């Protein structure tokens, strides 16, 4: 199993001080930066694009940037994010006309591809894609907003993905996104996740390092 990664979602950061917020959360022990891209079309909210990703790189952010695309269409924006310094690029299969092509496009542009599953999206999309993916992202809320309640039904799904990944024999990260806090992260880890997105739980806390430390301790004890 891969080492656990904590991925703070900057959706809950103070956007007026974004560079300093990302520096602070990385200094507090975060492993990767989760970057939520929303288009007010595929999801009912509007956030940030490649210019902001590039600005973080220019600011000096060296950590991997985990770009979660909640946009339709997907392919148009992939090369822009690759140029802007994205490390991982994940997308929702419902938002792409040609899922296999989008995965290849992400790879061709030097980024690591991942597929995202909404709470009600079946895992069948993995039947013919898992061998091309570096990450599977399971949504534990409906995408569009931070600060929502964790949907417990995703736990069974995490376990099902863990089984598929094990069978594949490939090194594929399993990431979970939505409603994760220090007091429920252990069950997410136990179900088989290794990458944990947390927005409001980290940026809404007064001490980022203490929150991340509590999350790691809960994972270690899971
Ligand atoms: C939701 C986003 C999440 C969100 C997580 O559409 O993909 O990354 O910011 O926020 P919390 O941890 O507050 O649920
Ligand atoms: Zn996200």
């Amino acid at each position: 199993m891969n080492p656990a990664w904590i991925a703070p979602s900057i959706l809950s950061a103070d956007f007026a001080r974004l560079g300093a917020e990302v520096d602070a959360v990385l200094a507090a022990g975060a492993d990767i930066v989760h970057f939520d891209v929303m288009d007010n079309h595929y999801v009912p909210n509007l956030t940030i694009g490649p210019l902001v990703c590039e600005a973080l790189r220019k600011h000096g952010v060296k950590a991997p940037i985990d770009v979660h695309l909640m946009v339709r269409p997907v392919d148009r924006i992939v090369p822009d994010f690759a140029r802007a310094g994205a490390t991982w690029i994940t997308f929702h299969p419902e938002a792409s006309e040609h899922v296999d092509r989008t995965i290849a496009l992400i790879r061709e542009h030097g980024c690591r591809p991942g597929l995202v599953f909404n709470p009600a999206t079946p895992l069948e999309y993995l039947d013919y894609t898992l061998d091309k993916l570096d990450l599977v992202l399971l949504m534990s809320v409906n995408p569009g907003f931070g600060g929502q309640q964790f949907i417990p039904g995703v736990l069974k799904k995490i376990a099902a993905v863990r089984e598929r990944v094990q069978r594949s024999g490939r090194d594929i990260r399993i990431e979970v996104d939505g409603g994760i806090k220090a007091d429920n992260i252990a069950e997410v880890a136990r179900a088989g996740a290794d990458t944990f997105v947390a927005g409001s739980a980290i940026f809404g806390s007064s001490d980022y390092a203490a929150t991340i430390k509590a999350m790691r301790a809960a994972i270690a004890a899971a």
Side-chain angles (χ1 to χ4, degrees), residues 30 120 130 177:
L130 194 64
D177 184 3

Side-chain angles (χ1 to χ4, degrees), residues 9 34-36 68 70 137 139 177 197:
S9 160
H34 187 78
F35 191 105
D36 285 308
H68 174 192
M70 289 161 273
L137 171 49
M139 295 304 300
D177 184 3
V197 177

Side-chain angles (χ1 to χ4, degrees), residues 124-198:
E124 276 63 50
Y125 280 108
L126 291 178
D127 290 352
Y128 301 100
T129 57
L130 194 64
D131 58 329
K132 295 166 181 158
L133 297 172
D134 288 346
L135 183 145
V136 175
L137 171 49
L138 296 172
M139 295 304 300
S140 40
V141 298
N142 288 291
F145 303 95
Q148 303 181 78
Q149 278 282 328
F150 183 84
I151 298 171
V154 76
L155 293 170
K156 273 202 334 231
K157 214 170 172 185
I158 299 168
V161 174
R162 174 53 64 198
E163 226 181 272
R164 282 182 185 244
V165 166
Q166 235 129 27
R167 247 186 285 136
S168 81
R170 293 191 60 238
D171 177 17
I172 300 168
R173 286 221 157 235
I174 303 177
E175 183 175 33
V176 180
D177 184 3
I180 295 183
K181 318 216 166 306
D183 62 10
N184 64 7
I185 201 166
E187 44 185 345
V188 179
R190 235 176 282 129
D194 54 32
T195 305
F196 306 84
V197 177

Side-chain angles (χ1 to χ4, degrees), residues 1-24:
M1 183 113 152
N2 282 312
W5 280 357
I6 305 288
S9 160
I10 58 174
L11 186 60
S12 292
D14 176 357
F15 277 120
R17 308 169 40 250
L18 190 58
E21 285 273 75
V22 171
D23 292 344

